[in-house]
Amino acid sequence: MDALDRKILTELQLDGRLTVTELAARVKLSVSPCHRRLRDLEREGAIRGYRAVVDPAAVGLNFEALVFVTLRWEDADTVSAFEEGVAAVPHVLQAQRLFGDPDYLLRVATTDLAAFQQLYDQQLARLPGVQRLNSTLVMKHVVDDRPLPE
């Protein structure tokens, strides 16, 4: 991947709806080579897909929490069962396995505190292998969905 490929990626992260013609103009390349590079980036997996970035508040998800999860055991079966379980919870926007303690960090969005409490008690606390959950509430996003650096 060279500097031109990185510039293409940067431009698409800023505006994923650019036409190939607009993209080519922004990276100072003719349309055909730009299109070829774009297809190569998609085929190689550097571009995993295209999507709309939706404001959670616009769809009624006004409450966000970070949930730290510590598992009771960390054997392969427990980890696998937990990860399958957490992947099935729609309100979990992100789930990351961590080194050290805690074992996981979950980013959760719900409509309000009452909905979060119900999700916490009825789904998150009942996930396979959970020993302990600790939560903190998100006050505001300072940096959110920033494009990757070049």
Side-chain angles (χ1 to χ4, degrees), residues 9-57:
L9 294 174
T10 297
E11 291 298 331
L12 286 174
Q13 287 179 90
L14 295 172
D15 184 355
R17 296 185 67 171
L18 288 173
T19 65
V20 175
T21 304
E22 293 168 329
L23 180 61
R26 288 189 185 188
V27 299
K28 299 179 180 18
L29 194 62
S30 61
V31 173
S32 208
C34 182
H35 190 243
R36 197 168 29 258
R37 282 177 176 263
L38 181 58
R39 279 195 325 255
D40 289 345
L41 290 166
E42 292 169 343
R43 187 173 40 254
E44 294 166 2
I47 297 174
R48 297 189 316 205
Y50 300 89
R51 64 184 177 94
V53 178
V54 178
D55 180 1

Side-chain angles (χ1 to χ4, degrees), residues 46 52 60 63 71 84-85 99 114-115 117 142:
F63 187 88
L71 296 182
E84 287 176 25
F99 279 108
Q117 187 240 323
V142 178

Side-chain angles (χ1 to χ4, degrees), residues 122-137:
Q122 300 299 316
Q123 293 184 54
L124 300 180
R126 294 179 181 184
L127 287 168
V130 170
Q131 175 182 345
R132 183 175 59 252
L133 299 173
N134 289 314
S135 311
T136 188
L137 307 181

